[in-house]
Amino acid sequence: MAANSSNSTSGKSGGKQSAPSAEQVVATFQRMRQEQRSMASKAAEFEMEINEHSLVIDTLKEVDPSRKCFRLVGGVLVERTVKEVLPALENNKEQISKIVETLNSQMQAKGRELTEYRERYNIRLVGEDDKQGKADASQAKESEGGGSKGGAGVLVS
């Protein structure tokens, strides 16, 4: 089957790989959107962790440093003093903040990648303004000389 598709498209593409089918374009786009959603979900989860850390840190700052407290480490409840736990919590909060910053920059890069992919294959999402989508599609067809791209005008739900 792979030999048939490469033989039938090799004359059109000039030795380059053939354009992906509409189904492949949609599947790739959906996968990229899902990756971005999972990054956003993870970032929101880490933001909640930061808020929890802030709440605990603020509470422990008002407590006597020699007072004992309990901390869950790897599923084991450990007895420590406030002065031992507070720096560790602040360090954890900083590390989580760095992770959130990294995730946010990755989400922005994924967003740019998604936008480029949408523009390359003229992907329109269901619910977008149909008038603008039709105008964009007609301009793309005129500029491409009749719409020679295989994945042009893909509609994604």
Side-chain angles (χ1 to χ4, degrees), residues 47-63 86 89 93:
E47 286 289 343
M48 290 190 322
E49 292 240 353
I50 289 172
N51 291 338
E52 289 176 11
H53 274 70
S54 296
L55 183 65
V56 172
I57 289 169
D58 292 343
T59 303
L60 289 179
K61 282 183 177 177
E62 299 170 3
V63 178
L86 197 56
L89 287 174
K93 182 182 169 187

Side-chain angles (χ1 to χ4, degrees), residues 3-18:
N4 288 342
S5 65
S6 64
N7 289 339
S8 64
T9 59
S10 61
K12 289 188 239 176
S13 62
K16 294 182 181 177
Q17 276 190 334
S18 64

Side-chain angles (χ1 to χ4, degrees), residues 48-117:
M48 290 190 322
E49 292 240 353
I50 289 172
N51 291 338
E52 289 176 11
H53 274 70
S54 296
L55 183 65
V56 172
I57 289 169
D58 292 343
T59 303
L60 289 179
K61 282 183 177 177
E62 299 170 3
V63 178
D64 178 31
S66 62
R67 185 173 173 180
K68 73 174 156 181
C69 65
F70 295 90
R71 180 173 181 217
L72 194 63
V73 179
V76 178
L77 198 58
V78 180
E79 182 181 337
R80 299 278 185 245
T81 63
V82 171
K83 73 177 181 182
E84 293 172 338
V85 170
L86 197 56
L89 287 174
E90 290 170 341
N91 185 33
N92 285 352
K93 182 182 169 187
E94 288 175 23
Q95 296 299 322
I96 294 170
S97 296
K98 289 177 185 176
I99 291 171
V100 168
E101 288 175 16
T102 304
L103 271 175
N104 286 335
S105 64
Q106 288 175 351
M107 279 191 324
Q108 289 173 353
K110 183 61 75 174
R112 287 190 294 272
E113 186 180 346
L114 269 168
T115 302
E116 291 170 7
Y117 195 80

Side-chain angles (χ1 to χ4, degrees), residues 15-33:
K16 294 182 181 177
Q17 276 190 334
S18 64
S21 69
E23 293 83 13
Q24 290 171 327
V25 169
V26 170
T28 302
F29 183 71
Q30 294 288 15
R31 180 185 50 78
M32 292 168 69
R33 285 177 65 192

